[in-house]
Amino acid sequence: MNTADLGLPVDVPSTALFTDHYELTMLQAALKGGTADRRSVFEVFTRRLPEGRRYGVVAGTGRVLDAVENFRFDADVIGFLRERNVVDEPTLEWLASYRFGGDVWGYPEGEVYFAGSPVLRVEGSFAECVLLETVILSILNHDSAIAAAASRMASAAGGRPLIEMGARRTHELAAVAASRAAYVGGFTTTSDLAAGFRYGIPTVGTSAHAFTLVHDTERDAFRAQVDSLGRGTTLLVDTYDVAEAVRLAVEVAGPELGAVRIDSGDLLLVAHRVRQQLDELGATKARIIVTSDLDEYAIASLAAAPVDAYGVGTQLVTGSGHPTCSMVYKIVARAESADPKAPLVPVAKKSSGGKTSIGGRKWAARRLDAHGVAEAEVIGLGAVPAELVDSQLLVRLVKGGQVVAREPLDVVRERHARARANLPLSATQLSRGEAVIPTEYV
């Protein structure tokens, strides 16, 4: 059956099947083998930043909390697993009553991270924690990649507004998540109404080339738009001849014209010419918005141009060349037995090929210099040194299965702006380089 025939809503009620088959087969074997109830600690981290990136951005944490809350195996899901013979009946019975009852700690959403940073720590029984691996990584890898690209673009924009407009360049649900992540990274608005509805992100938009082309003349199109949306609207001026369109735009809307949008051509040259023309025609307050396959490098190249805002689509929602952060979810400690009082022992993967991990339940702190600028990401086991106690990064997100750290998206966005501002100035460089601060293990 085509899933479209099921009438599935955009908001999927359960996230339980956003997982890999082997998570459930591991569960079955652990239940049968007696290790399912062992207290365990899993950590999410990346072994390295994407090539050339100087810092990462934690994004998607709020969506992770929603996913954990909605990780439920209802009757339809259990029926699907039974029909496909994915796991046996005792395991299905266990899944039917599944509720995550452990603790989750993590870097606050919007914070920056580096190689080895334990951006999320999940604690509970092995059985309840192992099931969450795929959905957590799916969210964090996607959203953090988008937020990192957005952050670089925001730095390149130098305070000029950024419009997220990539919905048509990615999956319809990914588009909503991408818009949220872009807002965390520094974008100011989105074209995607679903993102505005779900997350309260301001939405914007006026018209495309199709609107101009459906009219007999460009003047007719501009007149219709101004009559409907007012003189403060944004008129798209590159359908035919830019100079003539700018002249018509001011003629139709008057000096109160809100903005013009340029979507093609040599944006640096055209922006200067359009600015001069607008000023000469008396529309001195009309803004210039540029689009057309922008990325952080193109935005930086327009720093000296009279551009007031940028619209970014494809490069943003694909992470500007790095669509994932390569985060992993690894068990780093487990109890010696199923006894709740059994001590935790560190465990780690020791295979070759660069996929090793460091065992043990970790803390993380950011050491600052005398000027309050970050100088190192410090990660350790055991007691936290006194001088770093107040600089710890992990906060409790879930306690005993209950979410305790939900926060408005604007708070997350502001946190990222502060975190980025506290990095060395070289963090804003777009040239390829190493992480802006080193990771130290103690």
Side-chain angles (χ1 to χ4, degrees):
M1 176 186 292
N2 189 320
T3 55
D5 298 333
L6 300 176
L8 294 175
V10 172
D11 253 339
V12 180
S14 170
T15 54
L17 292 183
F18 291 170
T19 193
D20 287 308
H21 187 117
Y22 80 168
E23 311 289 9
L24 301 190
T25 53
M26 279 194 289
L27 169 66
Q28 176 178 314
L31 288 169
K32 188 171 184 179
T35 54
D37 291 331
R38 282 193 177 187
R39 189 160 53 99
S40 301
V41 180
F42 287 78
E43 289 177 352
V44 175
F45 61 94
T46 184
R47 295 184 175 94
R48 63 192 66 83
L49 293 176
E51 183 182 357
R53 293 291 167 88
R54 298 173 183 268
Y55 62 92
V57 181
V58 178
T61 308
R63 298 206 308 119
V64 166
L65 298 180
D66 292 340
V68 171
E69 276 194 334
N70 292 316
F71 206 89
R72 304 281 188 269
F73 293 83
D74 58 24
D76 289 340
V77 172
I78 293 295
F80 165 78
L81 297 175
R82 179 179 289 115
E83 176 187 342
R84 297 297 179 91
N85 197 31
V86 174
V87 289
D88 60 20
E89 283 300 321
T91 305
L92 292 176
E93 291 177 12
W94 189 95
L95 290 172
S97 60
Y98 176 85
R99 298 291 185 274
F100 178 73
D103 298 331
V104 179
W105 294 73
Y107 279 37
E109 188 167 15
E111 184 58 83
V112 297
Y113 72 88
F114 300 90
S117 297
V119 297
L120 200 74
R121 187 172 72 222
V122 182
E123 304 182 18
S125 71
F126 174 80
E128 64 182 338
C129 293
V130 75
L131 294 181
L132 300 176
E133 175 182 7
T134 303
V135 70
I136 286 176
L137 289 179
S138 176
I139 293 171
L140 291 181
N141 269 315
H142 174 268
D143 289 22
S144 296
I146 306 304
S151 180
R152 285 164 59 85
M153 293 174 189
S155 291
R160 295 171 178 174
L162 290 158
I163 307 163
E164 184 280 312
M165 47 197 305
R168 62 191 63 192
R169 295 292 187 260
T170 187
H171 185 279
E172 66 272 17
L173 298 184
V176 182
S179 180
R180 182 187 183 280
Y183 192 67
V184 170
F187 275 59
T188 51
T189 54
T190 179
S191 66
D192 191 80
L193 289 174
F197 175 78
R198 194 168 306 178
Y199 298 118
I201 302 169
T203 60
V204 295
T206 50
S207 67
H209 293 101
F211 184 78
T212 300
L213 294 169
V214 78
H215 290 82
D216 293 335
T217 67
E218 196 167 39
R219 181 193 299 275
D220 290 343
F222 288 174
R223 172 55 62 193
Q225 184 173 326
V226 170
D227 286 348
S228 176
L229 301 177
R231 296 178 185 275
T233 191
T234 299
L235 296 175
L236 181 58
V237 295
D238 73 328
T239 305
Y240 304 117
D241 178 80
V242 172
E244 175 62 13
V246 172
R247 187 190 68 78
L248 284 173
V250 178
E251 179 180 312
V252 171
E256 297 86 6
L257 172 64
V260 296
R261 179 163 74 94
I262 307 166
D263 188 51
S264 59
D266 183 335
L267 297 179
L268 180 61
L269 176 63
V270 175
H272 278 287
R273 288 177 174 174
V274 168
R275 180 74 271 161
Q276 180 179 354
Q277 187 179 7
L278 287 169
D279 291 346
E280 290 173 349
L281 293 171
T284 57
K285 294 184 179 180
R287 298 175 301 127
I288 297 175
I289 300 170
V290 296
T291 51
S292 185
D293 292 326
L294 299 177
D295 61 11
E296 59 265 50
Y297 302 101
I299 291 170
S301 73
L302 294 168
V307 171
D308 297 285
Y310 306 92
V312 190
T314 303
Q315 291 301 318
L316 174 65
V317 298
T318 56
S320 196
H322 295 293
T324 180
C325 304
S326 299
M327 290 181 181
V328 294
Y329 182 96
K330 298 297 180 183
I331 186 170
V332 296
R334 51 87 174 166
E336 292 180 340
S337 70
D339 185 340
K341 297 181 180 179
L344 288 172
V345 294
V347 293
K349 182 178 179 180
K350 298 297 184 183
S351 62
S352 60
K355 286 194 172 184
T356 59
S357 56
I358 299 173
R361 184 180 185 271
K362 301 171 195 69
W363 52 262
R366 189 160 300 140
R367 191 172 69 240
L368 309 178
D369 65 16
H371 303 286
V373 177
E375 65 177 15
E377 191 88 339
V378 186
I379 299 170
L381 304 169
V384 181
E387 67 274 15
L388 294 175
V389 168
D390 294 333
S391 301
Q392 293 185 78
L393 292 163
L394 283 90
V395 299
R396 190 190 291 271
L397 303 172
V398 177
K399 182 178 181 180
Q402 300 299 312
V403 174
V404 296
R406 276 205 174 86
E407 53 191 358
L409 199 55
D410 281 333
V411 171
V412 174
R413 171 184 163 85
E414 291 165 6
R415 176 182 295 120
H416 176 63
R418 291 194 305 272
R420 187 177 61 203
N422 286 337
L423 293 175
L425 188 59
S426 57
T428 63
Q429 291 180 313
L430 297 181
S431 58
R432 291 183 177 274
E434 299 299 320
V436 70
I437 61 174
T439 300
E440 298 179 0
Y441 293 94
V442 297

